[in-house]
Amino acid sequence: MHARLAAVTVLVSLSVVAPCVGQPTDSSAPGPAPATNAVGAWVGGSFATGRLIGNIQGAHLGLLGLRYHRLLVPSSPSPTPDGPTLTYTADLLPVLFLSVPSSAPRSLSSDGFPSERTTVGVGVRPAGLRLTYRVGRRVQPFIAGSTGLAFFDRSVPNALGRSLNFTFDVGAGVRVVLTPTLLLSLGYRYHHLSNGFRGQINPGVDANLLQLGVTVSP
């Protein structure tokens, strides 16, 4: 259900932003020079859990983020950028949503719950990097990653875990130039969340995320 909600959010956002495009989106057409500073907002939702590090299956994760971008390389934008560029990103997460299925706590300890455990929280990702290619074009592929903290109103995955957890993610996507000051981004992230062995149990949650965002530059 939560995965469907995330998908609907992405589709609705695309339907709202798409009419605002008042110019061709030919990927070979030149785009504006990258801004030194920019801000943006994004939403993300999981469509499946992963198995690389985390042990909990069937969990659902949703995020709302506010992002600051700072161009690192080149140190100042060029009138005719040729890329790639390296950008520092920092995220404030005013809304985090995590749902752990009831089967997961029972399988991990005797401290089970009669229904799934749903928690909300906040977070921060102070350390992020994005490598963007073809920045002189309207469609710009990128790879990115970040790390930070998440604090929930209840311990996860159950009482033997912790409210404070660590996160990191890696992924890729594309940025589409809508106007000289407005960009749309769509990407995939592999996201990991766990308490870093600070709780009595530390199963961790891996999530495959889809993210949709907008970026505004001065």
Side-chain angles (χ1 to χ4, degrees):
M1 175 178 179
H2 303 301
R4 295 194 194 99
L5 180 59
V8 170
T9 301
V10 170
L11 291 175
V12 171
S13 300
L14 284 173
S15 67
V16 171
V17 172
C20 298
V21 183
Q23 52 190 352
T25 56
D26 181 5
S27 62
S28 63
T36 301
N37 295 282
V39 294
W42 55 270
V43 293
S46 63
F47 60 89
T49 47
R51 297 176 179 271
L52 290 180
I53 304 176
N55 297 323
I56 295 178
Q57 298 298 305
H60 298 283
L61 179 65
L63 310 94
L64 171 65
L66 304 175
R67 177 169 294 168
Y68 167 71
H69 308 247
R70 173 74 180 184
L71 183 66
L72 297 179
V73 180
S75 57
S76 61
S78 166
T80 56
D82 194 27
T85 61
L86 182 64
T87 302
Y88 164 78
T89 63
D91 292 300
L92 175 65
L93 308 175
V95 178
L96 290 173
F97 171 87
L98 177 65
S99 176
V100 177
S102 57
S103 58
R106 289 195 181 101
S107 65
L108 294 168
S109 73
S110 60
D111 184 19
F113 297 93
S115 60
E116 69 177 19
R117 167 158 283 205
T118 298
T119 60
V120 294
V122 296
V124 62
R125 294 176 182 169
L129 290 174
R130 183 183 70 244
L131 189 62
T132 308
Y133 299 90
R134 303 178 69 222
V135 294
R137 306 297 181 179
R138 296 203 184 279
V139 178
Q140 307 168 1
F142 68 85
I143 56 176
S146 64
T147 184
L149 300 171
F151 184 82
F152 295 97
D153 65 347
R154 305 173 70 186
S155 58
V156 293
N158 59 26
L160 300 182
R162 286 295 184 96
S163 296
L164 180 63
N165 286 261
F166 303 96
T167 69
F168 70 83
D169 65 82
V170 293
V174 293
R175 287 158 53 87
V176 181
V177 178
L178 302 180
T179 74
T181 59
L182 181 66
L183 290 90
L184 173 72
S185 64
L186 179 64
Y188 162 82
R189 295 290 181 103
Y190 192 88
H191 184 281
H192 175 75
L193 181 148
S194 64
N195 62 46
F197 300 100
R198 297 172 60 255
Q200 297 181 54
I201 60 173
N202 183 43
V205 176
D206 284 2
N208 293 283
L209 299 177
L210 285 178
Q211 290 189 186
L212 175 69
V214 292
T215 301
V216 179
S217 58

